[in-house]
Amino acid sequence: LGFASFFFLSDAMGRVIRSQRKGNGTVFKAVTRTRKGPAKHRPLDYSEKHGYVKGVVKEIVHDPGRGAPLARVIFRHPYKYKLQKELFVAAEGMYSGQFVYCGNKAKLSIGNVLPLGEMPEGTIVCNVEGKAGDRGAFARASGNYATVISHSEDQKTRIKLPSGIKKSVPSTCRAMVGIVAGGGRLDKPLLKAGNAYHKYKVKRNCWPKVRGVAMNPVEHPHGGGNHQHIGHASTVRRSAPPGQKVGLIAARRTGRLRGTADSKNQD
């Protein structure tokens, strides 16, 4: 295919749809200028592996675009004469001036960070690592928590994630004791478009969202027709090209979830 035929084909295919334009930034970039920084555990070091380190919560701060508050925690550097400043996801009940302890030998209390293998079964934790030393991956959103279910012989710990799924991670992975602060954020309705506007303005350009069926055929695979209807199955294969890949992507099942709550609880 030559250049002329390529342009002819792209002309015949229609417009580059919204989901394709989101990939390369431009007007869809996130607002990171006002952010306080990445929320992570301390870098894993000798003193955490074999004992504990003590830090003090200097302040609890709001991070724009994040539902959960963050805690500025200051540690003394284990080897050098200087301070280590860390930004933790704040657990509910943390306060400025609180001492927090991180390490294998740390006590099990709210705000402390210790390996999952040192926690009894049933412990409520947040900001859980997926791999030892990755500084936090799961249960980081406001009000979220994971639960330690069981410890196995092969140095693995089974945890229940906020989604309800159960996952095995190495027992050396660290987690903070407690649930993430800022819970119940979604209980209060936004009430008006202005509140939604300000909520998403500080996150990224993803609101308001025009439905595909409300568009013209040139702008979306669901567009067009005399009534707002999709006109074909809303499921689409995993290998579909960008521009066609909209709707229910690689759906294993569709429709309402019915009668599955009991089976989930039995697990």
Side-chain angles (χ1 to χ4, degrees):
L1 287 175
F3 272 121
S5 53
F6 172 77
F7 284 121
F8 169 75
L9 277 173
S10 62
D11 231 29
M13 283 190 290
R15 198 163 293 168
V16 175
I17 69 170
R18 180 179 55 199
S19 56
Q20 291 174 286
R21 292 193 297 124
K22 281 192 173 180
N24 61 357
T26 63
V27 297
F28 293 107
K29 288 201 277 280
V31 182
T32 53
R33 179 177 51 82
T34 55
R35 304 272 169 95
K36 296 289 184 287
K40 297 180 175 184
H41 291 311
R42 287 180 77 254
L44 187 58
D45 57 9
Y46 183 90
S47 44
E48 270 204 44
K49 285 181 188 171
H50 297 90
Y52 64 85
V53 284
K54 174 176 143 182
V56 63
V57 178
K58 273 292 174 197
E59 55 177 347
I60 308 287
V61 293
H62 167 67
D63 190 20
R66 188 195 293 264
L70 299 180
R72 288 195 197 277
V73 186
I74 294 185
F75 296 90
R76 296 215 3 226
H77 196 282
Y79 313 117
K80 297 179 181 173
Y81 179 66
K82 63 177 183 179
L83 298 174
Q84 267 185 335
K85 294 176 182 175
E86 298 294 340
L87 206 57
F88 285 2
V89 173
E92 199 166 286
M94 279 176 93
Y95 54 91
S96 53
Q98 177 186 353
F99 290 120
V100 292
Y101 300 88
C102 303
N104 252 22
K105 302 275 185 0
K107 207 171 61 175
L108 193 78
S109 63
I110 301 287
N112 285 1
V113 178
L114 49 156
L116 291 170
E118 303 296 321
M119 299 181 185
E121 292 166 10
T123 307
I124 301 292
V125 292
C126 63
N127 201 6
V128 189
E129 291 184 328
K131 302 177 183 68
D134 75 5
R135 302 178 73 182
F138 307 120
R140 294 159 55 92
S142 58
N144 273 2
Y145 62 90
T147 313
V148 178
I149 297 172
S150 59
H151 302 290
S152 61
E153 299 294 318
D154 57 344
Q155 297 300 302
K156 287 277 175 75
T157 298
R158 201 159 175 73
I159 56 171
K160 186 178 181 187
L161 297 175
S163 62
I165 204 164
K166 295 181 176 68
K167 182 178 175 67
S168 288
V169 294
S171 298
T172 48
C173 288
R174 297 169 294 169
M176 181 179 277
V177 182
I179 77 169
V180 183
R185 180 168 50 88
L186 300 177
D187 295 348
K188 180 186 172 189
L190 285 171
L191 282 180
K192 58 182 193 175
N195 287 342
Y197 167 81
H198 289 295
K199 174 183 175 179
Y200 291 106
K201 186 174 189 292
V202 78
K203 287 177 181 286
R204 66 202 70 82
N205 179 13
C206 61
W207 186 92
K209 194 169 260 149
V210 179
R211 294 163 301 133
V213 289
M215 297 182 189
N216 295 317
V218 73
E219 287 148 353
H220 200 275
H222 295 173
N226 279 350
H227 298 284
Q228 287 192 1
H229 69 297
I230 296 175
H232 51 82
S234 59
T235 52
V236 62
R237 68 183 193 275
R238 174 71 69 201
S239 58
Q244 184 190 346
K245 204 171 184 179
V246 291
L248 304 170
I249 297 168
R252 292 196 174 89
R253 65 182 300 289
T254 60
R256 286 170 54 209
L257 287 169
R258 299 175 68 172
T260 55
D262 297 333
S263 60
K264 271 187 184 173
N265 292 338
Q266 283 166 9
D267 290 346

